[in-house]
Amino acid sequence: MSSIFEGFLSTPEILEAFSERNFLEAMLDFEASLARAQASVGLIPEAAARSIIGTCKVDLFDVAKIVRESGQAGSIAIPLVKSLKETVGLFNKEASEFVHFGSTSQDVIDTALALVTREALGMIDVDVSRAIAALLALASRHADQPVLARTLMQPASVTSFGLKCAGWAAPLVRGRQRLQARARDALNVQFGGAVGTLAHMQGKGPQVLALMAADLKLKAPAFAWHTQRDEWVALGCELGLMVGSLGKIAKDISLMSQFEVGEIREPTEPGRGSSTAMLHKHNPLASLVALAASARAPQRVAALLAAMPQENERALGNWQAEVAEWPGLLMSAHGSARAMGQALSGLQVDAQRMLANLEAVRAGLASEAAVEWFNPALALDAGRMTRAQVITLTAMIRAIDAPAPESVPA
């Protein structure tokens, strides 16, 4: 999925997760699990299942050819299943007729997408957790550090940098919890056959579904969700909210790191954020990535919502549009989470510049306004008050923070 135009806005790991090879491997995992479950309940011969399972190895297939043929077929599943049947037939001709038995294209594609999404969510969770930990450490360290609060892009009064960091962390913690909850709801096996009835399963469909869910470590849904997209799209909406919360932090960092403000700075390393023409520049690269993600994610989420009115039992066009938008949303989410996790872990804070900016505003005001809003004693009082607030807030955030990344379905 990598592109010269957007590869730098994501991460190598998630680009690989949504690569053609990895996705086809997930589809083959579905086919192997299907054959294993069907053999265990007597729907297909054990020998046929062994042949199918043994052939569901991505190295045996021409991935590029299957992808090319998907354009004419209208689905990546059609050329894959065709190739799987042919390859199984080379070793066991009788077994080929049991490949993909009683299933349909959307079953294998949706389930593969759930498997790859689970992998992607685990990556996102790790980096969001890193960002949260960094923010809570900054909040504690700078709990009583006075800094200029700004409203409507103008100087307002005094706040604490620690309180600002706690305020950045809270939406990430809430978003992380919601993402994990939505993942538990949405990461389902898709298994309904042609019209969701599992008519070819001879009454054993629920058993096959349960066995596949246990094998693939996904949830067994009450209904085939071919056109019931609410839980899946809800997960997408939560990803959009997480990207927005990360983008808010990036916006503040980019503003506070401007030369004229100079209160914080993203971490420096050779070649990071450099300019081709102006060697003195230090561009806030992490903020760039997170802000680019926050500009793109809303359109992805809107496309998911727009695709929800899907026709009858299987959709024409809308489901295909949703599937095409999905990887980009997760790529943006991980790019943003990784960028912010790295930046916040090494964020450079200039306390003296924060105090100087406060003093510059205070000195330029009429005496009455200066006394009311920027008296040095007020800054000290704000520091004392916000230290207590930050301690309380960080304790609350830590208390509600979700479990470690392994809580995402594995």
Side-chain angles (χ1 to χ4, degrees):
M1 293 285 298
S2 182
S3 161
I4 192 173
F5 299 106
E6 62 180 359
F8 69 100
L9 296 175
S10 193
T11 66
E13 298 95 320
I14 206 159
L15 291 172
E16 174 59 26
F18 282 99
S19 67
E20 294 167 350
R21 179 185 174 85
N22 199 56
F23 191 74
L24 287 183
E25 188 170 28
M27 294 175 71
L28 290 168
D29 288 344
F30 169 90
E31 296 294 346
S33 183
L34 175 65
R36 190 178 295 113
Q38 289 175 331
S40 70
V41 299
L43 280 172
I44 69 173
E46 286 282 354
R50 285 195 298 271
S51 293
I52 295 168
I53 294 164
T55 311
C56 286
K57 307 287 189 268
V58 72
D59 291 336
L60 299 177
F61 297 89
D62 186 338
V63 172
K65 180 174 180 288
I66 291 169
V67 172
R68 285 195 305 272
E69 291 176 351
S70 68
Q72 185 174 1
S75 164
I76 190 68
I78 293 171
L80 176 68
V81 171
K82 177 176 178 288
S83 185
L84 179 57
K85 287 183 175 181
E86 291 171 351
T87 308
V88 168
L90 294 175
F91 303 98
N92 184 342
K93 186 175 181 181
E94 291 74 23
S96 63
E97 64 182 283
F98 297 105
V99 169
H100 197 68
F101 177 70
S103 184
T104 194
S105 297
Q106 192 170 350
D107 288 343
V108 60
I109 291 174
D110 273 345
T111 303
L113 203 55
L115 291 170
V116 175
T117 296
R118 181 179 64 198
E119 183 181 353
L121 289 173
M123 299 177 196
I124 293 167
D125 190 84
V126 168
D127 284 296
V128 170
S129 296
R130 182 183 182 186
I132 291 169
L135 284 169
L136 294 178
L138 286 165
S140 297
R141 193 179 310 134
H142 300 283
D144 53 4
Q145 172 58 52
V147 69
L148 189 63
R150 297 170 175 93
T151 63
L152 304 184
M153 300 291 287
Q154 299 300 312
S157 184
V158 183
T159 186
S160 150
F161 185 62
L163 185 61
K164 197 173 187 78
C165 291
W168 287 340
L172 299 189
V173 172
R174 294 191 295 266
R176 183 171 179 248
Q177 286 191 312
R178 291 195 304 266
L179 263 178
Q180 292 180 337
R182 296 294 80 75
R184 287 191 289 270
D185 293 337
L187 295 181
N188 293 305
V189 175
Q190 180 71 279
F191 187 50
V195 295
T197 62
L198 294 174
H200 289 81
M201 294 296 104
Q202 302 172 26
K204 296 179 180 179
Q207 293 173 261
V208 173
L209 174 60
L211 289 167
M212 291 180 69
D215 184 31
L216 296 171
K217 296 181 174 62
L218 295 172
K219 183 180 170 184
F223 302 95
W225 45 287
H226 291 151
T227 53
Q228 297 177 24
R229 311 304 288 182
D230 54 312
E231 290 181 332
W232 190 248
V233 174
L235 176 59
C237 289
E238 288 300 340
L239 285 163
L241 287 171
M242 179 61 78
V243 171
S245 295
L246 290 163
K248 187 275 188 286
I249 301 171
K251 178 71 76 174
D252 284 357
I253 290 175
S254 65
L255 291 171
M256 294 177 72
S257 65
Q258 292 179 104
F259 177 78
E260 295 81 0
V261 180
E263 294 173 343
I264 57 177
R265 182 177 172 135
E266 289 188 10
T268 58
E269 59 184 71
R272 181 179 177 84
S274 59
S275 167
T276 59
M278 293 170 280
L279 300 182
H280 61 278
K281 285 186 70 182
H282 174 75
N283 297 318
L285 181 59
S287 297
L288 176 155
V289 171
L291 288 169
S294 66
R296 303 175 74 200
Q299 286 72 37
R300 306 277 193 194
V301 174
L304 302 182
L305 291 166
M308 284 189 72
Q310 299 189 10
E311 304 86 355
N312 299 313
E313 283 66 51
R314 300 280 300 286
L316 177 68
N318 279 7
W319 169 67
Q320 292 79 5
E322 175 205 288
V323 170
E325 293 292 343
W326 189 263
L329 178 58
L330 282 123
M331 289 175 190
S332 289
H334 193 226
S336 180
R338 171 66 57 82
M340 284 294 96
Q342 290 176 339
L344 291 166
S345 295
L347 194 69
Q348 300 173 20
V349 180
D350 190 336
Q352 293 304 311
R353 188 61 177 264
M354 290 177 178
L355 292 173
N357 287 340
L358 275 169
E359 176 59 25
V361 174
R362 188 197 68 78
L365 292 176
S367 58
E368 295 83 0
V371 168
E372 182 178 1
W373 295 107
F374 293 101
N375 189 305
L378 180 65
L380 289 173
D381 289 342
R384 294 188 191 102
M385 286 189 297
T386 54
R387 170 166 285 282
Q389 288 178 285
V390 169
I391 291 170
T392 301
L393 277 173
T394 54
M396 290 172 59
I397 289 168
R398 287 191 172 98
I400 66 171
D401 196 12
E406 56 264 29
S407 64
V408 174

